[in-house]
C-alpha cells in the first residue's frame, strides 16, 4: 500500500493498514516528515516532526512533541492537535537537538533521541543515546529534569558514522526496540536502517548493557522497504 512520510502504517501480523492519515488532518506531505510517534492510549498519539511548520494556529518546532487527540484513526483520521512538550523550554534549541525518536514510559517519563549530540541542563549525549525527561509541567510551559536513560555508545552503537537511534519503543517488560539512521552492527546482530532490533537491558544509564536478540524483530527488506528508513516504532 502507498503512504507518505507523515503517515503511520499498522501491521497486525497478517496485513498492513493505514493507522494515521496525515492529509486528513491538514499535515502537508510536501517537504515534511514525521520523525517518530508514540501511541499513549486509544485516542492519544504523540508525534515529532523533522522541520518547523504551522498546523492551524499551532506553531511547531522540530524540538517539540505534538499531541493528537483522535475522534477516529485510519482512512478517515480526525481529531485535534495541541502542544504536548515545548523543547525550547528545557534546552532543546539547536539543529543537532531535533527529536528523531520518541516514547513515553508508564511512569510518565518522556524518552527522546536526537539527530545530533544534545546538550541539555545536566546531561550531554550522542545521537545514539536516549535521554529521559521527567516532567514537572507540560504544554506551553514545559519544565522538568533530564537524565541519561540509554548510552548507545556503551553497547556498540556509534562505532560507525550515523548509527543514530531514529526509532524507539520500550515495551512493558523493559525491552528496547530500536531502529537506526543507517546500517548498524552490535554484539550478535547487524541490520539495515529499515530493520528493528531488540535490546534486553541488564543495566541502564551511564552503565548501559544489553543482551541483543540474535534475530531481527522486523526485517524491512522482507516487506520491500529497502529504499526506506523505518524511523517510527510502536509495539502494541
Amino acid at each position: 500500500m502507498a503512504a507518505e512520510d507523515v503517515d503511520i502504517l499498522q501491521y497486525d501480523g497478517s496485513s498492513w493498514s493505514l493507522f494515521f492519515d496525515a492529509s486528513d488532518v491538514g499535515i502537508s506531505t510536501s517537504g515534511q516528515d514525521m520523525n517518530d510517534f508514540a501511541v499513549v492510549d486509544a485516542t492519544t498519539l504523540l508525534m515529532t516532526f523533522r522541520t518547523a511548520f504551522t498546523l492551524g494556529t499551532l506553531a511547531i518546532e522540530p524540538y517539540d512533541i505534538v499531541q493528537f487527540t483522535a475522534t477516529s484513526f485510519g482512512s478517515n483520521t480526525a481529531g485535534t492537535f495541541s502542544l504536548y512538550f515545548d523543547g525550547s523550554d528545557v534546552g532543546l534549541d539547536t539543529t543537532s537537538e531535533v527529536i528523531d525518536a520518541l516514547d513515553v514510559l508508564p511512569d510518565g517519563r518522556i524518552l527522546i533521541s536526537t539527530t545530533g549530540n544534545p546538550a541539555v541542563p545536566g546531561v550531554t549525549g550522542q545521537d545514539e543515546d536516549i535521554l529521559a525527561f521527567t516532567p514537572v509541567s507540560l504544554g506551553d510551559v514545559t519544565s522538568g529534569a533530564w537524565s541519561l536513560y540509554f548510552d548507545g555508545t556503551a553497547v556498540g552503537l556509534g562505532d560507525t558514522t550515523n548509527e543514530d537511534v531514529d526509532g524507539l519503543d520500550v515495551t512493558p517488560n523493559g525491552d528496547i526496540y530500536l531502529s537506526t539512521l543507517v546500517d548498524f552492527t552490535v554484539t550478535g546482530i547487524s541490520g539495515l536502517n529499515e530493520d528493528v532490533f531488540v535490546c534486553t537491558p541488564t543495566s541502564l544509564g551511564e552503565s548501559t548493557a544489553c543482551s541483543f536478540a540474535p534475530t531481527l524483530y522486523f526485517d524491512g527488506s522482507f516487506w520491500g522497504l529497502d529504499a526506506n528508513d523505518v524511523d517510527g516504532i510502536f509495539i502494541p
Side-chain angles (χ1 to χ4, degrees), residues 160-196:
T160 61
T161 302
N162 286 331
E163 280 184 326
D164 170 10
V165 170
D166 70 347
L168 77 96
D169 188 56
V170 179
T171 52
N173 68 353
D175 285 353
I176 306 171
Y177 290 70
L178 299 163
S179 188
T180 54
L181 181 62
V182 296
D183 304 350
F184 70 90
T185 299
V186 292
T187 301
I189 191 167
S190 61
L192 308 175
N193 67 351
E194 66 265 24
D195 299 332
V196 178

Side-chain angles (χ1 to χ4, degrees), residues 27-231:
I27 299 176
S28 171
T29 60
S30 176
Q32 187 55 273
D33 182 19
M34 185 187 299
N35 274 348
D36 201 359
F37 65 93
V39 179
V40 178
D41 56 39
T43 61
T44 308
L45 177 66
L46 303 179
M47 296 170 280
T48 186
F49 294 90
R50 180 168 297 173
T51 58
F53 72 113
T54 300
L55 190 57
T57 60
L58 189 63
I60 300 165
E61 297 290 338
Y63 329 106
D64 297 337
I65 300 171
V66 180
Q67 177 172 314
F68 179 69
T69 303
T71 54
S72 62
F73 283 115
S75 57
N76 293 301
T77 299
T80 57
F81 291 96
S82 59
L83 183 64
Y84 177 79
F85 171 92
D86 187 334
S88 64
D89 285 349
V90 290
L92 296 174
D93 54 13
T94 71
T95 55
S96 64
E97 293 170 341
V98 171
I99 298 171
D100 65 350
L102 166 67
D103 195 20
V104 179
L105 297 177
D107 63 9
R109 283 181 295 166
I110 301 165
L111 302 183
I112 68 160
S113 188
T114 55
T115 54
N117 300 338
V120 292
V123 181
T124 58
Q126 309 292 321
D127 60 12
E128 63 268 19
D129 298 337
I130 300 170
L131 305 186
F133 181 74
T134 302
V136 173
S137 62
L138 290 167
D140 290 333
V141 182
T142 297
S143 65
W146 291 101
S147 60
L148 180 65
Y149 182 80
F150 173 90
D151 185 341
T153 309
V155 295
L157 293 172
D159 294 341
T160 61
T161 302
N162 286 331
E163 280 184 326
D164 170 10
V165 170
D166 70 347
L168 77 96
D169 188 56
V170 179
T171 52
N173 68 353
D175 285 353
I176 306 171
Y177 290 70
L178 299 163
S179 188
T180 54
L181 181 62
V182 296
D183 304 350
F184 70 90
T185 299
V186 292
T187 301
I189 191 167
S190 61
L192 308 175
N193 67 351
E194 66 265 24
D195 299 332
V196 178
F197 60 108
V198 186
C199 155
T200 297
T202 54
S203 60
L204 289 167
E206 294 181 359
S207 301
T208 297
C210 282
S211 173
F212 287 103
T215 57
L216 295 171
Y217 174 78
F218 178 81
D219 184 342
S221 60
F222 178 82
W223 296 104
L225 296 175
D226 308 65
N228 301 97
D229 171 25
V230 170
D231 59 359

